[in-house]
């Protein structure tokens, strides 16, 4: 069994969920011996061997396998054993309809090629090899679905779970989004059909890309209400998720690091290029919403301000490059801990800023106005993805030079291998945009917006991320150089009082408003069951929250460049 599944870079060791495994040939039961973490051996079988595995399935994430009375869902990597050495042989998958009356309305949704199925989709599917077999998640439930066409091929949006929305409207929006992406890469799209497998939940957000489908988990209320006009903020989040996973159909499912060809599913597959695949995809996920006409420039700039804020609130960006973060994804991004904000940078969010900076650099090169990141991404697709060639670890830099000349080389080297901040304020200025910094207005402030004029300005900060815990606030992360770290507070300490007065989720900001930078106060916190006091010197609130404004005084050229980039 695989230890991980492509797209999610963590050794999950799916074999640990195998609760029983038996084998027999035509004559008799054959003993099954487990020989390492994910392999079993059967000796002495004559002729055809049948292996039966029983798997515990209660992981409702996009990476798992799940079965209850409401639905079944699985990634093949979680359930399907591979006869070792036969990775390249064709496979069939038989899905047998459950007999339980509770499942009478269940139907199958998957992009796996059909061999012979009934009207509900139960029956036989086929795959050319094991890699294809496990790259088509399967939804089995009484789900809703809507069909649409984009790029000349059929698309389907499937939604399991409870929701209340107008799927025809969503299909119309997805059509625009998918068309815009096919337009970028060129017709026809590299799949015969495409399926978005959605799961509407109370609280959740995530996706996983596949070659002809994607799994999406989203809040049920992210979908627009029936009859609702416009594209509200939560729905933008849903569309950005769909946009991200769809973009991956080209960019990481087909254009991929050479280190992934073939995937070695029993171990970590290291590459320094995850930033190229996740960062560039994260940049385009939002840009495609603008190009498709689903959001306007104002909403785009708000979302960009939020991305900038995510990066600039992470001191770890000074310690780790996105090339290193990519390489260490397996034990880094996928295994976050209390020190992650100080030690690591996200190759998603800083990767997206790198893509932004590269695009803006290309778009403002003198005499090179016609070359943009679109040309680079398309060239990657045509030279690598379309021809099943993997991108070498240094392949991107040379491709950029081929397409755009040496101009962007310095920016790219600094952005990918360096740990300094990118010159984005200067670059955005060439597009008539001003990057502004301010302190956070509160714990829910994700940036992207100017501060509300009437809000009280918090002058001091703790330099820690907190969450409510019992009667106090647990320090989830203690940021490098902040007041909390200098006072000796640790992650997992539970702060209960400042200056002798209790603080909690709703009172911390109110208490801190009373102080000026440089004032010293006593802080009381539990470390385990010991109550400790700390001498806390309050520091100025970090200016780590970013928003963008159009600069009316910028030159005509700058506004023209912005219009060429984002439209009117
Ligand atoms: Zn992604």
């Amino acid at each position: 069994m695989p230890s991980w599944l492509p797209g999610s870079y963590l050794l999950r060791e799916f074999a640990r969920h195998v609760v029983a495994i038996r084998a027999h040939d035509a004559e008799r039961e054959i003993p099954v011996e487990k020989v390492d973490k994910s392999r079993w051996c059967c000796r002495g079988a004559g002729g055809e061997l049948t292996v039966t595995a029983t798997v515990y399935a209660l992981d409702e994430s996009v990476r798992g396998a799940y079965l209850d009375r409401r639905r079944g869902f699985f990634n093949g990597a979680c359930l399907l054993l591979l006869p070792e050495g036969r990775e390249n042989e064709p496979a069939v998958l038989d899905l047998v309809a459950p007999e339980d009356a509770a499942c009478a309305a269940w139907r199958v949704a998957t992009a796996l090629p059909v061999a012979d199925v009934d009207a509900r989709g139960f029956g036989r599917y086929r795959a050319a090899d094991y890699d294809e077999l496990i790259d088509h998640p399967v939804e089995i439930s009484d789900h809703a679905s809507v069909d649409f066409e984009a790029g000349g091929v059929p698309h389907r949006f499937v939604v399991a779970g409870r929701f209340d929305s107008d799927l025809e409207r969503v299909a119309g929006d997805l059509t625009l989004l998918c068309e815009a992406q096919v337009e970028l890469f060129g017709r026809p799209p590299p799949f015969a059909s495409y399926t978005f497998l959605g799961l509407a939940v109370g609280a959740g957000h995530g996706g996983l890309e596949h070659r002809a489908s994607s799994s999406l988990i989203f809040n049920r209320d992210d979908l627009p209400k029936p009859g609702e006009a416009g594209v509200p903020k939560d729905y933008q989040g849903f569309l950005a998720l769909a946009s991200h996973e769809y973009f991956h159909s080209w960019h990481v499912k087909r254009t991929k690091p050479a280190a992934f060809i073939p995937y070695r599913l029993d171990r970590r597959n290291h590459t320094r290029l995850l930033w190229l695949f996740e960062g560039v995809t994260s940049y385009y996920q939002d840009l495609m919403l603008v190009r498709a006409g689903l959001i306007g420039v104002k909403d785009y700039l708000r979302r960009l301000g939020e991305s900038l804020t995510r990066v600039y609130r992470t001191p770890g960006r000074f310690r780790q490059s996105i090339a290193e973060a990519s390489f260490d994804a397996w034990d880094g991004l996928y295994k976050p801990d209390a020190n992650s904000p100080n030690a690591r940078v996200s190759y998603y969010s800083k990767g997206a800023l790198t893509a932004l900076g590269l695009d803006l650099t290309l778009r403002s090169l003198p005499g090179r106005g016609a070359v943009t990141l679109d040309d680079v991404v398309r060239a990657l697709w045509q030279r690598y993805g379309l021809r099943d060639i993997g991108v070498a670890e240094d392949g991107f830099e040379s491709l950029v030079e081929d397409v755009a000349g040496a101009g962007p080389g310095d920016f790219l080297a600094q952005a990918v291998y360096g740990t300094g901040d990118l010159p984005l304020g200067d670059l955005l200025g060439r597009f008539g945009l001003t990057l502004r910094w301010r302190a956070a207005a509160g714990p829910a402030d994700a940036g992207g917006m100017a501060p509300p004029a009437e809000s009280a300005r918090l002058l001091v900060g703790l330099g820690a991320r907190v969450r409510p815990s019992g009667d106090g606030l647990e320090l989830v992360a203690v940021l490098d150089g902040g007041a909390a770290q200098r006072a000796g507070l640790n992650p997992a300490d539970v702060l209960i009082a400042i200056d002798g007065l209790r603080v909690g989720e709703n009172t911390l900001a109110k208490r801190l408003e009373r102080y000026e930078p440089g004032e010293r106060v006593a802080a009381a916190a539990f470390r385990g069951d010991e109550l400790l006091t700390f001498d806390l010197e309050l520091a100025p609130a970090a200016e780590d929250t970013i928003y963008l404004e159009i600069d009316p005084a910028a030159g005509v050229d700058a506004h023209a460049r912005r219009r060429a980039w984002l439209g009117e």
Side-chain angles (χ1 to χ4, degrees), residues 491-566:
D493 287 351
V494 176
L495 183 67
I496 56 166
I498 287 178
D499 205 4
L501 294 169
R502 183 147 77 196
V503 289
E505 187 183 11
N506 301 318
T507 50
L508 178 66
K510 277 259 167 288
R511 287 258 50 81
L512 292 179
E513 270 173 29
R514 303 276 165 174
Y515 301 97
E516 299 283 331
E519 281 193 68
R520 305 185 86 93
V521 293
F526 278 107
R527 181 167 295 167
D529 65 350
E530 286 181 58
L531 181 62
L532 305 178
T533 56
F534 299 85
D535 177 23
L536 190 66
E537 182 183 349
L538 292 163
E543 299 256 322
D544 59 3
T545 304
I546 291 167
Y547 62 101
L548 297 160
E549 286 179 336
I550 293 178
D551 174 11
V556 176
D557 288 359
H559 291 300
R561 271 190 216 109
R562 189 186 64 255
R563 286 192 203 101
W565 170 41
L566 296 179

Side-chain angles (χ1 to χ4, degrees), residues 209 244-245 248 278 348:
E209 67 276 8
H244 183 104
E245 304 309 342
H248 275 321
E278 292 302 345
Y348 280 81

Side-chain angles (χ1 to χ4, degrees), residues 7 207-209 244-245 248 251-252 277-279 281-282 285 348:
L208 190 62
E209 67 276 8
H244 183 104
E245 304 309 342
H248 275 321
H251 195 70
V252 91
F277 292 97
E278 292 302 345
T281 301
S282 297
Q285 73 178 35
Y348 280 81

Side-chain angles (χ1 to χ4, degrees), residues 42-293:
C42 300
R43 288 188 183 84
E48 190 171 287
L49 181 75
T50 302
V51 178
T52 307
T54 307
V55 180
Y56 178 71
L58 201 67
D59 177 355
E60 207 165 21
S61 78
V62 295
R63 307 164 299 253
Y66 185 88
L67 183 64
D68 72 359
R69 65 180 189 179
R70 302 167 307 148
R71 68 188 284 256
F73 170 84
F74 67 88
N75 286 282
C78 304
L79 301 185
L80 306 175
L81 295 158
L82 165 71
E84 196 170 41
R86 295 170 66 174
E87 293 81 354
N88 299 320
E89 294 181 23
V92 295
L93 175 69
D94 290 332
L95 293 174
V96 182
E99 287 169 10
D100 193 310
C103 312
W106 283 16
R107 288 156 288 117
V108 177
T110 179
L112 198 59
V114 164
D116 182 21
V117 301
D118 65 18
R120 292 163 62 200
F122 290 101
R124 176 157 290 189
Y125 293 83
R126 59 186 165 75
D129 54 30
Y130 185 74
D131 184 49
E132 181 179 2
L133 180 67
I134 65 169
D135 197 25
H136 295 281
V138 178
E139 170 73 34
I140 311 172
S141 58
D142 182 14
H143 49 259
S145 71
V146 60
D147 292 324
F148 58 98
E149 194 183 290
V153 306
H155 286 56
R156 174 169 290 180
F157 175 42
V158 169
V159 194
R162 291 180 55 181
F163 71 97
D164 175 31
S165 185
D166 172 3
L167 287 191
E168 291 294 340
R169 185 253 158 110
V170 178
D173 293 339
L174 289 175
T175 304
L176 297 172
L177 178 62
C178 296
E179 287 284 0
Q181 299 205 13
V182 174
E183 192 65 35
L184 169 67
F185 287 101
R187 288 172 183 254
F191 36 74
S193 69
Y194 190 91
T195 307
F196 290 101
L197 289 174
L199 173 64
V201 298
H205 184 87
L208 190 62
E209 67 276 8
H210 301 282
R211 69 188 64 189
S213 60
S214 53
S215 297
L216 312 175
I217 291 185
F218 47 85
N219 295 344
R220 56 177 58 91
D221 294 326
D222 288 354
L223 296 179
K225 296 192 240 346
E228 185 169 29
V231 179
K233 198 174 161 187
D234 291 343
Y235 184 42
Q236 290 176 26
F238 164 81
L239 291 170
L241 175 65
S243 179
H244 183 104
E245 304 309 342
Y246 193 72
F247 194 88
H248 275 321
S249 312
W250 290 267
H251 195 70
V252 91
K253 290 312 302 184
R254 292 177 173 86
T255 307
K256 63 177 91 160
F260 287 173
I261 301 179
Y263 293 116
R264 285 161 300 163
L265 296 176
D266 61 337
R267 70 195 78 168
R268 292 171 179 84
N269 291 190
H270 290 289
T271 171
R272 290 184 171 79
L273 293 178
L274 288 182
W275 75 267
L276 170 60
F277 292 97
E278 292 302 345
V280 168
T281 301
S282 297
Y283 172 62
Y284 272 99
Q285 73 178 35
D286 287 1
L287 197 56
M288 284 296 161
L289 300 185
V290 184
R291 290 219 187 134

Side-chain angles (χ1 to χ4, degrees), residues 312-430:
Y312 289 107
R313 284 182 182 173
T314 309
R317 72 187 189 278
F318 297 125
R319 292 189 189 268
Q320 189 183 47
S321 69
I322 51 175
E324 292 168 330
S326 298
F327 193 85
D328 285 340
W330 304 80
D331 292 310
L333 189 105
Y334 280 87
K335 287 185 186 170
D337 61 34
N339 197 43
S340 295
N342 291 327
R344 303 186 186 285
V345 69
S346 163
Y347 54 81
Y348 280 81
S349 40
K350 192 182 169 190
L353 299 191
T354 299
L356 166 75
L358 180 57
D359 199 11
L360 299 187
T361 300
L362 292 170
R363 287 171 182 273
S364 52
L365 283 178
R368 284 267 178 188
V371 177
T372 73
L373 192 60
D374 289 4
D375 300 296
V376 172
V377 166
R378 245 191 316 266
L380 263 180
W381 164 241
Q382 285 160 0
R383 292 186 200 182
Y384 293 98
L386 204 51
R387 295 158 65 191
D388 283 329
I389 298 171
V391 182
E393 294 291 288
D394 60 356
F396 185 64
E397 286 87 344
S398 51
L399 178 127
V400 170
E401 192 169 338
D402 275 2
V403 174
D410 287 346
F411 171 85
L412 203 53
Q414 180 199 353
V416 176
Y417 301 103
T419 54
D421 279 337
L422 308 179
L424 293 174
D426 171 51
L427 281 169
L428 289 160
R430 298 184 206 168

Side-chain angles (χ1 to χ4, degrees), residues 438-513:
R438 61 178 174 81
D445 183 356
M449 309 278 280
E454 68 276 15
S455 82
R457 185 90 188 282
L458 201 56
L459 295 173
V460 300
L462 284 182
R465 297 182 189 171
V466 299
R467 71 173 166 219
S469 169
D471 283 340
L473 292 167
E474 181 187 340
L475 305 190
V476 180
V478 175
L479 300 179
D480 274 356
Q485 190 186 64
R486 285 204 308 278
L489 283 150
N490 279 358
D493 287 351
V494 176
L495 183 67
I496 56 166
I498 287 178
D499 205 4
L501 294 169
R502 183 147 77 196
V503 289
E505 187 183 11
N506 301 318
T507 50
L508 178 66
K510 277 259 167 288
R511 287 258 50 81
L512 292 179
E513 270 173 29

